Amino acid sequence: METFDVIVLGAGAAGMFAAIEAGRRGRRVLLLDHARNPGEKIRISGGGRCNFTNLHIAPERFLSRNPRFALSALKRFTQWDFIARVDAAGIAWHEKTLGQLFCDGSAKEIIAMLLADLHAAGVELGLSTTIDSWAKGAGGFRIGTSRGTIAAQSLIVATGGKSIPKMGATGIGYRIAEDFGLRVTETRPALVPLTFAEQDLAALKPLAGIAVEGRATANGTSFDEAILFTHRGLSGPAILQVSSYWREGCEVVVDLMRGRDAATALREMRGQAGRVAIRTALARMMPERLARHVETMSGLTGNLADQSNARIEALAGLIHGWHLRPVGTEGYRTAEVTLGGVETDDLDARTMEARKVPGLFFVGEVVDVTGWLGGYNFQWAWSSGWAAGQVA
Ligand code: FDA
């Protein structure tokens, strides 16, 4: 039987980072994945440029049943530590917006850096390997795989969540956790477009392709970013962000003119050149198709000059607070991440080790820690992987 000090399951961001760190400590590490290539999500991330971290990492930008859990790992291996690695590898990067750091060239450069580090740390990479069984006995862990049973003192589970099954996501990590007696919180798709009932969609469809710099609010949490109307419903960064807070039955409130006062602008237009249709006035502030839609929703008729202050206030209220009721999300097929996961109370926040199962670790997306859009999820993968790699 093959024997290693550490087996890491899942060669994504978190698993590769944990394996590198354990290997650097002189541990004999085997990194297993059923995929043919490591880091597939890194490759497609950030539109192929990988938004690998964020300058503004803070625990309140992560969702978890225990919001303080992520703090320790994020403080021990920070965004600055990861940036230093990227710099040392000679990878050029830039800040796009809101502290989001992207490669100038390609996400493949991040994968190449990690592969070089894995190689230098002496980690053995076992790709195209299925994981069939897992157990712990007196001598450590025994993992049944398509290349036979493999034994190790430590097991790091980095198999990610359920998002994008087409790319190899299986949710196996949750089963492993439960089999070892850890709890798993409810999981659901997050950072995902929102969908609508047929009759609402029929009204939204003509707006497909329109994007506005707006504000989306769900369950009391707001995000100021772009909102995109699609054939299936609503998307764009602001919507993906609020999707992590939205729950079935809740409304999403959209501000189509964030940072401007629609009522003042409309009153000024009424005073200067009010003999125009309402949609014509609105089209000076937003895309024309959207202007027509807002006019229809408002139920107002006639010219802008015909409208009382009260009606203009009501129209502005609609522009700044359009209430929509999604019926669901596009699901794991397109979700960037999975909300929920291995219960953080069952893990040591400093090391990611299971409290009741010495030698068993969970890192990355499989854990109940989910970041905002914008490089937060990769930073969690690096930080939690690093933490486990120091002790596994
Ligand atoms: P990850 O999912 O990366 O890796 C898990 C690994 O386990 C995979 O290699 C998989 O093949 C393997 N595995 C699963 N089941 C297995 C089984 N049964 N047997 C063997 N192996 C198995 N985040 C961010 O910060 N910035 C960004 O720009 C983006 N962009 C982005 C775009 C898209 C389209 C998606 C879907 C996601 C993002 N993300 C992101 C999120 C980010 O990709 C995600 O949070 C991390 O990849 C999570 O890293 P993990 O290593 O935990 O899981």
Side-chain angles (χ1 to χ4, degrees), residues 10-11 30-40 124-132 144-148 150:
L30 174 64
L31 174 56
L32 294 176
D33 203 297
H34 64 168
R36 262 183 307 197
N37 298 302
E40 278 294 88
E124 185 177 327
L125 189 53
L127 297 169
S128 304
T129 306
T130 55
I131 315 297
D132 305 318
T145 77
S146 50
R147 68 187 239 182
I150 310 168

Side-chain angles (χ1 to χ4, degrees), residues 38 66 71 79 81 166 292:
N66 173 4
L71 187 62
Q79 66 272 41
D81 294 320
K166 247 177 146 178
R292 252 184 279 144

Side-chain angles (χ1 to χ4, degrees), residues 147-358:
R147 68 187 239 182
T149 301
I150 310 168
Q153 289 161 7
S154 298
L155 178 65
I156 302 179
V157 181
T159 45
K162 299 181 191 170
S163 34
I164 325 257
K166 247 177 146 178
M167 297 202 65
T170 60
I172 190 177
Y174 308 126
R175 293 206 302 277
I176 297 175
E178 284 174 339
D179 284 351
F180 282 113
L182 282 80
R183 292 165 293 175
V184 176
T185 66
E186 186 202 348
T187 52
R188 53 182 289 128
L191 300 182
V192 61
L194 297 172
T195 56
F196 290 84
E198 211 39 64
Q199 71 271 18
D200 293 336
L201 193 58
L204 287 175
K205 262 185 185 165
L207 304 177
I210 292 175
V212 291
E213 276 305 320
R215 166 176 298 172
T217 304
N219 257 329
T221 303
S222 300
F223 288 91
D224 291 353
E225 279 187 78
I227 294 167
L228 176 67
F229 295 87
T230 74
H231 285 106
R232 287 193 288 267
L234 284 178
S235 188
I239 296 299
L240 298 185
Q241 296 278 35
V242 291
S243 74
S244 300
Y245 295 84
W246 178 82
R247 291 294 177 274
E248 283 70 14
C250 284
E251 283 184 336
V252 168
V253 182
V254 165
D255 180 346
L256 297 169
M257 269 180 65
R258 162 173 48 94
R260 287 181 292 163
D261 181 352
T264 304
L266 287 165
R267 274 197 304 269
E268 275 171 16
M269 276 191 253
R270 183 183 61 184
Q272 287 157 9
R275 300 256 143 250
V276 290
I278 292 168
R279 61 181 170 280
T280 310
L282 290 174
R284 294 184 188 145
M285 308 189 288
M286 62 181 69
E288 202 202 332
R289 268 187 294 151
L290 186 57
R292 252 184 279 144
H293 188 79
V294 170
E295 182 192 52
T296 307
M297 278 198 299
S298 74
L300 298 177
T301 51
N303 281 338
L304 186 60
D306 305 329
Q307 311 306 324
S308 64
N309 279 345
R311 283 185 184 166
I312 283 186
E313 286 296 336
L315 180 57
L318 192 59
I319 293 168
H320 290 302
W322 179 8
H323 290 245
L324 294 126
R325 195 173 283 279
V327 287
T329 74
E330 285 188 8
Y332 290 116
R333 191 178 56 81
T334 61
E336 281 201 11
V337 284
T338 304
L339 202 63
V342 176
E343 167 63 56
T344 53
D345 282 354
D346 292 348
L347 300 175
D348 180 326
R350 197 176 150 78
T351 62
M352 305 296 133
E353 190 169 13
R355 290 189 187 281
K356 291 190 184 146
V357 190

Side-chain angles (χ1 to χ4, degrees), residues 25 103 108 139 152 195 265 271 304 316 360 368:
R25 288 172 39 242
C103 298
K108 290 182 190 157
T195 56
L304 186 60
L360 177 63
D368 173 28

